[in-house]
Amino acid sequence: MRKRSFVVGSASLVALMALAACGGGSSAGTPASGTGSAAAPANQTLVVDTTFNLKTVDPGRMFETTGLLIDRALYSTLLTFTGGDVKKPVPDLAESYTASPDGTTYTFKLRSDAVFSDGTPVTSADVVFSLNRVKAIAGNPSFLMAGITVTAPDASTVVLTSEKPNPSIPFIVPNPALGILNSKAVKAAGGTDAEGADKNDKAETALNTASQGSGPYTLTSFSTTTQVVLEANAKYWGTKPAYSKVVLRNVAANVQKLNVTKGESQIALDLSPTQAEGMKDVQVVNGASPNVFFLFTNDDPKISATTANKDFQEAVRYGIDYDGLVTLAGTGSTQAAGVIPTMFLGSLPAGSGVKRDVTRAKAALARSGISNPTVDIGYPSDFASNGIAFGDLAARVQANLKEVGITVNLKGSSVQTALAEYRDGKEQMGLWFWGPDYPDPGDYLVFLPDQLVGKRAGYVKGANPALEALGEKAATTVDDVERVKLYEQIQTELNTTSPFMPLLQPAQIVVAGPSVKNVQSNAVWLATLSELG
């Protein structure tokens, strides 16, 4: 389940500690991809088993988890992240960048040796075309370019100008959806970056047949249901990948475990903590995912006067057994102290989240004046993330709140049905999760009144003017110290007065065979295939 397409968040990932937004005049450091002088890739095949969430590998239309994993290997971006470290963007196609002091203008200097897979040099015109095409197609990833204008003063310089100060830009441009395309080849295949591209761009079929990028791999074959095959890019300008071929297979988690144990695959990306426990002769990378599972009680009295009652919301908040949910989620999971994951800038200190207090919950319910309340909770009953079934979490919440005096009816349904109810703001209570579109706290302002997720919980403009003002200030503040203070204030207020209850960050597990080196997870694209060796 990916963010804007699923708008609950992503499916999968791990990340690291605090982020560092770049201030005025800063420049990126050591190139992530190295130089092209490394030895050619060995004739080896890497088999990766994962559960596909895949519609396309056209960057302008792609925003599902599996697509991000693949496109990171096919397309280079202006900046990137190395390994699992998403706290500092590093060079990719841009050898350096600078930011204006007010955070509205970012200037990128392109490296001179980068070429596409056909040997064509990467120029600023390709960058402008690629980023404008994402915006013009108006697909799932187009929001990444909202309010941003792209220009090219010369062949090796690209300028991104934001309507408002936007300290998130260095953390947005590494997203594989903003991968840089060979503009001449894509135009020849019917692609366009002009207004109306949502109807007039015809390049998707061609891009699902042959990639047009400058990344370490090229696309050999593509299926949304069976497997995708990548081959090492012979003209890649960076450090050559260790594997000459990567085969990504659509495999159920239980079969993934069997395959990696038998050596039929080298990587399994979707095992739960329970499935991974006790595995021998494999590598198991286990840590907290940046996915944040959350509960909400609809703040719109037209949907439910009960769930919109502030005392009822407090009863729910303190009636949940957060420690029990973490135990249910398994080893490596942790309580979400706020909506921002523990490893990102502005997160609340670990252990500072709401703790269960049944006495306080019962007192709040008594103050609400609602006798024996009964409410429905919606969730996708046919979906699990990080090995956690939504139905199991919902049943545990139901049992927790029964102890407080609240009856919860489980109203799980298919992803499609549940999503429709959620997006329309019709759920009395909802159980969902949010994963990072980009690893910056600005991505979590969606929980504020009248914002994307806020509106789905009936949390509309005017619900908390002081909080709304904090959000506006945080969105345009460049200084990291001040940003931390603002985002901590925002989350503390959300934890006190909003209809949202952050529950937990599940474990993210990557299992690899003993021959694979440099096994790490990434908070945006699961794993960097070209770094595995």
Side-chain angles (χ1 to χ4, degrees):
M1 296 187 286
R2 193 68 194 168
K3 289 85 93 164
R4 304 285 166 164
S5 56
F6 203 89
V7 195
V8 301
S10 66
S12 45
L13 340 246
V14 168
L16 290 293
M17 305 175 37
L19 300 172
C22 297
S26 64
S27 63
T30 306
S33 300
T35 65
S37 61
N43 186 23
Q44 295 181 336
T45 298
L46 177 71
V47 179
V48 179
D49 285 351
T50 185
T51 304
F52 277 16
N53 181 13
L54 182 63
K55 296 179 180 178
T56 181
V57 288
D58 177 350
R61 296 176 168 88
M62 176 280 309
F63 213 57
E64 288 72 39
T65 309
T66 312
L68 291 165
L69 170 68
I70 294 168
D71 275 9
R72 172 61 182 85
L74 299 177
Y75 296 95
S76 301
T77 46
L78 288 173
L79 303 175
T80 190
F81 300 111
T82 56
D85 187 353
V86 297
K87 58 191 176 186
K88 181 176 175 57
V90 298
D92 200 11
L93 288 176
E95 63 182 6
S96 66
Y97 75 94
T98 57
S100 64
D102 65 355
T104 60
T105 304
Y106 293 81
T107 303
F108 298 85
K109 290 294 183 181
L110 301 183
R111 57 188 304 144
S112 60
D113 59 346
V115 296
F116 291 107
S117 57
D118 66 356
T120 304
V122 179
T123 70
S124 59
D126 297 302
V127 178
V128 172
F129 172 84
S130 302
L131 300 187
N132 281 337
R133 179 174 178 266
V134 171
K135 185 188 298 187
I137 286 176
N140 283 326
S142 64
F143 77 96
L144 295 169
M145 293 299 298
I148 300 173
T149 301
V150 191
T151 56
D154 57 55
S156 61
T157 306
V158 175
V159 178
L160 271 60
T161 304
S162 177
E163 295 173 354
K164 300 178 180 179
N166 189 349
S168 298
I169 283 179
F171 299 90
I172 292 174
V173 295
N175 193 292
L178 302 183
I180 306 307
L181 302 161
N182 184 331
S183 58
K184 292 181 181 179
V186 175
K187 288 176 182 177
T192 178
D193 66 342
E195 185 176 350
D198 56 325
K199 297 182 179 64
N200 299 327
D201 184 279
K202 307 299 182 184
E204 181 179 9
T205 299
L207 291 171
N208 283 338
T209 303
S211 53
Q212 296 294 342
S214 59
Y217 285 96
T218 59
L219 182 66
T220 298
S221 67
F222 170 80
S223 167
T224 59
T225 57
T226 56
Q227 70 176 27
V228 175
V229 180
L230 314 178
E231 287 190 359
N233 177 5
K235 296 186 182 297
Y236 183 52
W237 47 273
T239 300
K240 308 300 183 184
Y243 294 94
S244 58
K245 179 183 290 187
V246 177
V247 179
L248 298 106
R249 307 188 302 188
N250 185 19
V251 178
N254 61 329
V255 181
Q256 290 180 34
K257 178 177 180 178
L258 179 63
N259 287 347
V260 76
T261 300
K262 295 168 61 178
E264 294 182 4
S265 66
Q266 286 74 53
I267 300 285
L269 292 176
D270 299 291
L271 300 192
S272 68
T274 300
Q275 289 171 318
E277 188 174 358
M279 292 186 70
K280 298 180 179 179
D281 301 321
V282 295
Q283 305 174 69
V284 178
V285 177
N286 186 336
S289 162
N291 292 347
V292 174
F293 283 79
F294 64 89
L295 180 72
F296 72 81
T297 64
N298 203 304
D299 211 46
D300 184 354
K302 294 179 182 178
I303 299 298
S304 170
T306 296
T307 62
N309 183 291
K310 293 301 179 183
D311 289 317
F312 176 84
Q313 291 175 1
E314 181 173 343
V316 172
R317 193 183 317 278
Y318 285 95
I320 296 169
D321 180 6
Y322 299 93
D323 291 340
L325 295 181
V326 170
T327 300
L328 175 67
T331 303
S333 303
T334 186
Q335 181 182 350
V339 293
I340 299 175
T342 56
M343 62 285 290
F344 288 177
L345 178 90
S347 63
L348 293 173
S352 65
V354 174
K355 299 300 180 184
R356 191 182 201 204
D357 186 336
V358 174
T359 300
R360 179 171 178 173
K362 289 181 176 179
L365 185 61
R367 288 197 308 273
S368 74
I370 304 171
S371 179
N372 301 317
T374 298
V375 296
D376 297 337
I377 183 171
Y379 56 92
S381 59
D382 59 350
F383 192 86
S385 177
N386 301 91
I388 304 172
F390 278 85
D392 293 342
L393 280 180
R396 188 64 63 92
V397 169
Q398 179 190 50
N400 290 168
L401 296 184
K402 183 176 180 63
E403 296 177 38
V404 175
I406 299 171
T407 299
V408 175
N409 295 324
L410 302 183
K411 295 292 183 179
S413 55
S414 69
V415 166
Q416 291 79 7
T417 300
L419 262 181
E421 292 285 307
Y422 170 58
R423 287 172 170 165
D424 290 343
K426 295 180 178 179
E427 292 181 326
Q428 293 182 349
M429 293 179 67
L431 177 62
W432 298 93
F433 76 86
W434 182 266
D437 297 308
Y438 48 89
D440 185 83
D443 195 35
Y444 294 83
L445 294 174
V446 293
F447 286 89
L448 269 57
D450 213 43
Q451 300 304 311
L452 187 66
V453 181
K455 287 190 286 189
R456 292 172 181 187
Y459 202 34
V460 297
K461 187 175 180 61
N464 190 328
L467 180 59
E468 293 162 43
L470 277 174
E472 291 177 5
K473 186 175 181 180
T476 57
T477 297
V478 175
D479 179 73
D480 277 352
V481 174
E482 184 63 22
R483 293 182 86 209
V484 167
K485 293 178 181 177
L486 288 167
Y487 282 105
E488 287 181 345
Q489 285 180 268
I490 286 169
Q491 290 176 97
T492 299
E493 184 66 19
L494 284 171
N495 284 352
T496 305
T497 63
S498 84
F500 292 106
M501 296 86 188
L503 301 178
L504 62 92
Q505 292 174 232
Q508 172 60 40
I509 294 174
V510 176
V511 176
S515 65
V516 184
K517 309 300 181 185
N518 197 33
V519 181
Q520 300 182 67
S521 290
N522 183 278
V524 182
W525 50 74
L526 293 177
T528 307
L529 298 174
S530 61
E531 292 180 358
L532 298 173

